[in-house]
Amino acid sequence: MERKIKKIGVLTGGGDCPGLNAVIRGLTKAAIGKYGYEVIGYTFGYRGLYNNEFIKLTNETVSGILHRGGTILYSSNKDNLFDYAVEENGEIVKKDVSDVAVENMKKEGVDVLVVIGGDGTLTSARDFSRKGVKVIGVPKTIDNDLAATDVTFGFNTAIDIATEALDRLHTTAESHHRVMILEVMGRGAGWISLEAGIAGSADVILIPEIPYDIEKIAEKVRAREEEGKKFTIIVVAEGAKPKNGDVVIAKIVEDSPDPIRLGGIGNKLAEDLERIVNHEVRATVLGHIQRGGNTCTYDRILSTRYGVAAADLINEEKYGSMVTLKGNNISYESLENVIGETKNVDPDGELVRTARSIGICFGD
Ligand code: F6P
């Protein structure tokens, strides 16, 4: 007979994201209060699982964290236990150490692992599931680029922050008659740029899904000037690129499973544009501010729903699955179907068409 679930372990992996603490809190409260499970949290993602480093999660330890960004469990985006750097005979070699993690779970009596992360972290979750570990995934990323769910938590906080930045850039752009560029995150997806751009009343929105022509952007700046508007606001996704050009890479993080860090397109665009328009052009890179600080109300609610849903899926024995949001309903999907399936902006979709209808230029 299957052992009754007594204890669950949870970890947060990959880049941090507003709402992680709210998921941990929702999961812990429901797991303890509704189902009587014990909960422990592994620290620093999979590294904690490998080193058997964890903290006990109780109603007290998760008290007061709902609104707080970051993660009380800390995170790492480098530790893939199926390809893990270990020292052997004075040399660093990559090895599959996932059995150590499974043993650690057995030793502590952990019956189910809840993994909160993005594509990389969830790939390992799927691989643990294939090894027979009972796993539940929760989708996290400010980029909102996971296909299996309509919304990942963290995204709405990021667009709120980017929108506020655009509001602030408006007043200074107007005072100096400048072109102001805001570079936002999102990797290969343009969701943050598109949605913050609409909400923050940008004149030009640049996204990876629609390569831009610098001349079209200059035309927009000139057209605004002819209308008497002496400033222009541009929001550019870090993954945007010119037609026949390439993305700008900020750095390569060698020991990361996803080593490319994008960044720098805002400054490149400022230089290119200043040569052909009659304005000063300045770029601001919003960077990790999009991931820090307090979690917005939407994400507090979504994260709480995801955390509680993860506890419910354990109770229903729906292992090997990830919680999702479809429309406004919480659902779930097999981890086998969610990995590597990214969701990009549809260049002909309703959101882009809406933006175009109110005169927003996409640089094409
Ligand atoms: O995936 C989330 C994200 O913030 C991306 O938007 C960004 O490209 C990347 O992570 C930045 O990673 P890091 O925190 O390693 O600089």
Side-chain angles (χ1 to χ4, degrees), residues 15 77 141-143 185-187 192 238 261-262 288 291:
N77 56 6
T141 169
I142 62 163
D143 305 334
M185 284 182 162
R187 295 202 298 179
I192 298 177
E238 61 181 1
R261 295 293 179 276
L262 297 169
H288 292 84
R291 292 190 350 209

Side-chain angles (χ1 to χ4, degrees), residues 269-287:
L269 188 65
E271 270 176 35
D272 293 348
L273 198 58
E274 206 167 46
R275 281 191 217 108
I276 55 173
V277 296
N278 212 5
H279 287 270
E280 272 188 274
V281 185
R282 295 296 169 86
T284 301
V285 181
L286 198 53

Side-chain angles (χ1 to χ4, degrees), residues 187-190 193 205-214 217 235-249 262 264-266 268-269 272 344 362-364:
R187 295 202 298 179
S193 182
I205 295 176
L206 303 176
I207 58 175
E209 294 85 352
I210 306 179
Y212 68 83
D213 174 348
I214 190 92
I217 302 170
V235 57
V236 58
E238 61 181 1
K241 51 177 184 271
K243 282 183 179 156
N244 308 317
D246 221 334
V247 292
V248 182
I249 293 173
L262 297 169
I265 187 71
K268 176 188 158 37
L269 188 65
D272 293 348
N344 279 89
F362 283 84
D364 59 340

Side-chain angles (χ1 to χ4, degrees), residues 101-117:
V102 176
E103 273 314 304
N104 285 342
M105 283 180 64
K106 277 200 192 130
K107 210 158 56 189
E108 294 305 324
V110 173
D111 304 297
V112 185
L113 184 65
V114 177
V115 174
I116 312 171

